[in-house]
Structure formats: structure tokens, C-alpha cells
Amino acid sequence: MVAAPALGQREPLAPPAASDAPIAYLYDVTSGQVLFAREANRRFMPASITKVMTTFLAFEWMEEGRIVPQQTYTPRLETWRRWKNVGSTMFLPHDAQVSFDDLLHGVTTVSANDGAAALAEGAAGSVEEWVAAMNAKASEIGMADSHFGTPNGWMDEGRTFTTASDLSTLATAMLRRHPSKYRHYVGRPEFTYNEITQPNHDPISGVVRGADGIKTGFTNQAGYGFLGAAERNGRRLVMVVAGSPRARDRNRAARELIEWGFAAFDQRRLFPPNARVAKAEVQGGSRTQVPLVAPYGIYADIPAGGNGDVRLSVSYEGPVQAPISQGEEIAELVVSVEGMPDYRVPLVAGQDVGEAGLVRRALNGVLGWFS
């Protein structure tokens, strides 16, 4: 039997109960560690969390110059009719001349189904082309068990599905590739369009210290879900809860999971960003070794109160064949923290290594006899 806390004491922090969040996942973007996982690879319908994929693709296309935020667009009449007042909306008029900036704010802040469809059509020429690009981008970043059938997550007979693990991959890519766009578009408390102001229903932003997004989701089929993020003292956590029976259950689970994540672990920096961590042997190159760099640094989350025993080992298939480009991923650092699952951090080449010339190849051959 567990004793009740003394009067005035708070209950100790704990991950959310399965009854509140059948699917729950907590990932430390800074270290690369999974801190909590329940049904992490179970497929589920993300509902409006789908719009995070639309947001990420929009960020990517902005970076490429394929979307200009100030550019205006008028939805086709049939598109406007299809999404007029369907679920969450930004109330686009039938003759709207709306900027992509407003459309994307409508998507990220008030979960606008009409805004997501209009953005998709305006950017790609058709919703179908946009959805194809969503799936291609998901595959590119490693979302191995996800598929999208719409730009907004509206019910589509199960064609749209994802996993908690894949959603953390998506959030990590968004945060690392597009930090300034993330700050501009995600986590706003409200959005006003066409003189209509609507609130953001994010359950942690403004409530949990350091929280700044990302996206809720709900349909009768999917239940209540949330993909969220928060940062404290340079430490960035991403969390997923899904399948909650009620909004209040989801909201409670989200807050409990993120607060527990910050409280239950102490983070240690092992190497700063861009530090040279090790070397890899090179075959057929102008150099016999290449330095291995950790672009985002190496960090370890240690269970609070633990002894902090950490072991490191480098894993790669070697020797690595030249030529090698600086920044090319060629190895992984395996980090072992006592009492936790091992995790891997990518290591990239710290410099270019060209192919060896005739003299260098001969010298390498001679050196090989003595190695």
C-alpha cells in the first residue's frame, strides 16, 4: 500500500495513465533519447495532427522558394464549397484573396480545414498533388509507418494513419530544419482573419513552462490526440498522446507527460555541437582517416538520482570508401545510459576527403602492409 502524501505536499510526478492516453510517447530532441513509450508503433488516425505534415511541407517549400508567404490565392469555388464550415474553419469567403501566410496561420493556430485545403491547392495546383508531396516528404525524413490521404486529417476511411514514433520524427525535423518558421507560425494563442478571432486549443502552451505547440486532433473515430513540444534551459522535449476518450483526459495526460519528462531526468552534455567525437578509417582517400562530428552535440538524460554511468562506442561499416563530403553521415555514436535503452546519435564527416592520387594509393598500399 502506498502512503498518502502529507498535507501540503504534491503527488509525485508520473507519466499519464493508460486510461487517459492509450498511446503516449516522450522524446528528447536534444539528446535523441526516448524517455517514455507506450504503444509507440501502433497505427492510429491522427485527425488534425495531420496538419503538422502540411505545415512542415509548407516550411520546406518556403525554403525552396516554391511558396511565397505574401502571395495571395483565391480558392476554386468547388474547393470552397467542399470545405465551407466543415469542422474547424477560418471562415474563408468564397471570393477570398488570402495570403499563404494567413492560410498557414489558420492551419497552425485554429486548425482550419478550409485553410489547409486552400493552401494545398494553391501551392501544388491540386489537393492530390499536395498529398502526394506530403507522403514523399514523410518517406524522405524517415516516417516509415505513416500515410496521408488529405492535407487536413478529415476522415478518409482510414487512408490517413501514423504512429507516435513517426510523429516525433516529424516534429524533430520541423524543429531542427525550420526553427524561425516554427517560432513564427506555431504556438500562437489566437488568430484573427476576416475580423473573426478564434483561440488556439493547444493544452500546454501558456500552461506548461516552456511549451510552444504543436497541434491537437480529434474525430469521433480517432478520439483526442496531441503532438506537443516544450523547451527549458536548452533542452527540447516532444510528446505524443493519442486515443484519449475525452478532451480533458488528453489535456491532463499531455501536461503530466511533459512535466514528468523534465522532472524525472537530469541532462548532461558530453560533447558540444560540432565537436569532433572520433575518427573513421578511410579507404582509397587522400587521407587515411576522417574526423567524425556531432552536428547537434551529444547529450545524455540520466534518471534523477541515478549514478549517471554513461558508455560510448562508435559504429560504422569501415573503412569508409572515398570520396567523402563534409557533412555526410557515415557513422553513429551508440550511447548507453545505465537503466535506459541504448540510443544512437548520427556522426558526420568533419571535412572533405578526396580520392587518392596515384602516389597516395601506392603509399597507402605500403602502409597497409605494416598495419
Side-chain angles (χ1 to χ4, degrees), residues 63-144:
E63 199 72 17
E64 297 168 14
R66 299 175 67 177
I67 290 178
V68 178
Q70 292 74 33
Q71 182 180 349
T72 60
Y73 173 71
T74 299
R76 293 186 302 163
L77 187 58
E78 52 267 41
T79 303
W80 175 80
R81 285 174 174 161
R82 168 67 182 87
W83 294 106
K84 178 188 178 186
N85 297 330
V86 175
S88 301
T89 178
M90 60 187 288
F91 301 104
L92 285 172
H94 74 276
D95 57 351
Q97 291 188 345
V98 58
S99 69
F100 281 103
D101 185 79
D102 276 343
L103 288 173
L104 193 49
H105 274 295
V107 168
T108 59
T109 307
V110 301
S111 195
N113 288 324
D114 54 351
L119 188 151
E121 182 182 85
S126 72
V127 169
E128 292 74 21
E129 287 296 320
W130 179 265
V131 169
M134 290 170 67
N135 286 310
K137 186 62 67 173
S139 177
E140 176 192 310
I141 65 173
M143 296 178 70

Side-chain angles (χ1 to χ4, degrees), residues 34-53:
V34 176
L35 304 182
F36 184 85
R38 180 164 60 226
E39 301 282 6
N41 297 310
R42 172 179 156 190
R43 289 181 176 181
F44 65 93
M45 292 177 287
S48 282
I49 301 174
T50 297
K51 297 183 180 87
V52 181
M53 188 70 238

